[in-house]
Amino acid sequence: MFIGILCALCAGLMWGLVFVTPLLLNDYPGVVLSLGRYVAFGLIALVPAWFDRRRIGLLSRQDWKTAFKLALVGNLLYYAMLATAIQLADAPLPTMLIGTLPIVISVCANWRPGHASESVAWRRLAPSLVILCMGLMLVNSSELEHLRNGIGSLGNTRRTTADYILGCIIAVFAIAGWTWYPIVNSRYLRTHRDINSVTWATAQGLATLPMALAGFALYGIYGYAAGDNFAFPLGPRPGIFVAMMLTIGLSASWMGTLLWNKASQLLPTALVAQLIVFETLAALLYAFLLRGTAPDMKVLAGIALLCVGVVYGVQTFSRQTSISHSP
């Protein structure tokens, strides 16, 4: 359990980087950022795929079918929606909406557990979920005050109400995509323990590459036909764009997926869901560093509650594991 939690923590630190990338590259459409990230992920995955070619070759047709579905929903569609939502509503609001994932996924995973050992009585699961919800509400209320004052992560960038609403709606669709992804991914790995976590991360990268390349080409054709003035394919700042895509392609996509796969194999699905809160905490840390300000007391109290909720959830599942393994 300790190794699983440590892997989830490191994955969250990696994934937090993807929340600030759309702000650093705010002159790039969210779709381009998603396609660029996963083209980089797929190209990077070719290297470990060569060294791991024996185990890659052992994957079945069903394994590849699942990898393609996970790559499409959990990679391309999710990040395209997330990047667009961040550019419309700034980083904190979508981050906190995405931060509800520990609650949403835990409820969904516990509602229909993949195995009896994954199920926890609602009265035991409820306290950690309530604490997480209180923490999210505190942080969200503080960030809404910043948004009403028009203070963004890159300075005084006032957005319209329509931008905020549209950003929230798109973020909700992103939540739906990433609710489905970790549950399906975790349960598939737990029922196919012969699949190595490194192999599975590489397989998802290989599955992503053809879809990302095809999407990139279609976007270029569409932009040309529509008379879009975006400097396709690398945009107005090609050097920074390529560097950022390679960075998050390696750290957030390949390494983050690898670490998350390992955590998914070692921990119950509903507990893994709660540990996604590490991604939210990392994203908030990076957003405040980018903003150049310290979080206020509401945010600090909310973060403290998030940590308490995770610790409580870990203890709940630790007790469940001990009971399930007792004679």
Side-chain angles (χ1 to χ4, degrees):
M1 180 167 283
F2 173 76
I3 294 174
I5 293 170
L6 186 61
C7 287
L9 170 61
C10 293
L13 291 172
M14 299 289 183
W15 285 341
L17 295 172
V18 306
F19 285 81
V20 296
T21 300
L23 298 174
L24 296 172
L25 295 171
N26 57 1
D27 47 349
Y28 285 76
V31 174
V32 172
L33 295 179
S34 178
L35 294 171
R37 171 188 174 182
Y38 288 109
V39 166
F41 177 28
L43 293 174
I44 290 169
L46 292 174
V47 178
W50 171 255
F51 291 102
D52 198 27
R53 57 188 180 276
R54 185 185 65 83
R55 286 187 295 197
I56 290 287
L58 294 175
L59 295 177
S60 66
R61 179 178 297 181
Q62 181 60 38
D63 294 335
W64 283 110
K65 184 178 178 180
T66 303
F68 270 94
K69 289 193 294 185
L70 290 168
L72 176 62
V73 176
N75 291 350
L76 289 168
L77 295 180
Y78 165 72
Y79 193 56
M81 291 184 289
L82 176 62
T84 303
I86 289 172
Q87 289 177 337
L88 287 170
D90 200 10
L93 185 57
T95 298
M96 294 315 302
L97 287 175
I98 296 297
T100 62
L101 279 170
I103 298 170
V104 175
I105 299 174
S106 291
V107 170
C108 291
N110 205 55
W111 192 272
R112 298 185 63 183
H115 188 271
S117 63
E118 291 187 350
S119 180
V120 174
W122 287 107
R123 57 183 170 75
R124 295 180 57 197
L125 184 61
S128 63
L129 296 180
V130 170
I131 294 170
L132 286 171
C133 187
M134 290 170 58
L136 292 169
M137 289 174 63
L138 271 177
V139 178
N140 199 38
S141 66
S142 173
E143 288 306 317
L144 284 173
E145 292 177 7
H146 282 280
L147 293 173
R148 281 195 292 267
N149 294 329
I151 301 173
S153 293
L154 293 177
N156 193 9
T157 54
R158 183 174 294 278
R159 291 170 169 83
T160 65
T161 304
D163 287 340
Y164 290 134
I165 294 174
L166 182 59
C168 288
I169 293 172
I170 294 174
V172 169
F173 281 101
I175 291 170
W178 238 88
T179 298
W180 178 86
Y181 174 87
I183 292 176
V184 173
N185 186 60
S186 178
R187 288 178 178 172
Y188 196 81
L189 284 172
R190 286 172 66 84
T191 55
H192 296 77
R193 293 186 177 274
D194 56 311
I195 300 178
N196 183 273
S197 57
V198 177
T199 303
W200 194 234
T202 303
Q204 289 189 39
L206 296 177
T208 304
L209 182 57
M211 292 189 287
L213 287 172
F216 216 76
L218 290 174
Y219 183 87
I221 295 170
Y222 170 79
Y224 179 79
D228 188 7
N229 58 1
F230 178 75
F232 185 83
L234 299 180
R237 295 181 286 162
I240 297 176
F241 174 71
V242 171
M244 288 299 300
M245 294 304 100
L246 289 174
T247 299
I248 62 175
L250 174 62
S251 61
S253 295
W254 187 73
M255 292 182 66
T257 303
L258 185 159
L259 291 164
W260 191 255
N261 289 342
K262 189 64 177 176
S264 297
Q265 286 182 318
L266 296 173
L267 303 172
T269 305
L271 175 57
V272 174
Q274 293 187 56
L275 297 183
I276 292 177
V277 76
F278 291 140
E279 178 187 23
T280 301
L281 295 173
L284 283 172
L285 171 64
Y286 301 150
F288 279 110
L289 288 174
L290 190 63
R291 184 184 288 176
T293 60
D296 59 25
M297 291 305 298
K298 274 188 180 180
V299 173
L300 291 175
I303 290 172
L305 285 172
L306 290 176
C307 295
V308 170
V310 169
V311 171
Y312 197 97
V314 169
Q315 291 178 342
T316 299
F317 281 93
S318 296
R319 289 194 296 268
Q320 176 71 8
T321 302
S322 299
I323 293 171
S324 63
H325 284 85
S326 62

